[in-house]
Amino acid sequence: MLLTLAWGALFFPGLFALCTWALRRSRPGWSRTDCVMISTRLVSSVHAVLATGSGIVIIRSCDDVITDRHWLAREYVWFLIPYMIYDSYAMYLCDWCRTRDQNRGPSLTLRNFLSRNRLMITHHAVILFVLVPVAQLKQQHTLLYKVNGILTLATFFCCRILLFPFMYWSYGRQQGLSLLQVPFSIPFYCNIANAFLVAPQLYWFCLLCRKAVRLFDTPQAKKDG
């Protein structure tokens, strides 16, 4: 646990510094801002590859996606903490460099940075102070965990499933068609593509619903047992 945390604290800032140094050496014509921006994106890409790879390993190693546990899922949460802290600093550094290069008004302050990036900072803060404690302290029985599960279901359903009928409705409204007429008024391959996109979303939503049902049924099942 602590070793993973320390490794992450060294890995991400170290990789950022190495990328910035390498770019400034290999691309002397680039500005410091260019090097910082590209280095930030390179580190984010590395994190995305590691997170995706970890997810694939976990999925392939678990037979039951609801009850099985994998050591990598626990360890990667500790690896994620230093990345989120690093990424918050990297965002501030990128904004500071852009503001300095544009020479518009005073230099970037922390207050201005938080105001301009409130959604991303909120995203990082929720992961650090809500999701990480819930994942590590195994608080599945608490009200916070259940409320978070309900919000996850609602958000997933609205943003990943209702999005498709909403797109059809919006197109129909623009063209003067009803929702049921839209699938027959657009190219067939559009319907096929949307079907391929929504199918995994429906599958994942069913898995989330199964987990939610099992979560809320657990206390009663134990009581009956």
Side-chain angles (χ1 to χ4, degrees), residues 4 15 21 27 33 35 54 60 64 67 82 85 140 167 183 192 214 217 224:
T4 305
L15 181 60
W21 176 81
R27 296 291 186 270
T33 300
C35 295
S54 299
R60 291 177 62 89
D64 192 323
T67 59
I85 297 174
Q140 290 88 342
M167 290 191 302
I192 295 298
R214 187 173 296 188
D217 282 350
D224 294 341

Side-chain angles (χ1 to χ4, degrees), residues 91-92 94-97 99 106-110 112-113 116:
M91 286 192 301
Y92 176 80
C94 289
D95 272 13
W96 183 84
C97 290
T99 303
S107 60
L108 180 69
T109 64
L110 182 60
N112 291 337
F113 169 73
R116 288 164 53 178

Side-chain angles (χ1 to χ4, degrees), residues 41-58:
R41 284 163 173 76
L42 288 173
V43 175
S44 297
S45 299
V46 170
H47 171 260
V49 171
L50 292 176
T52 302
S54 299
I56 293 174
V57 171
I58 293 168

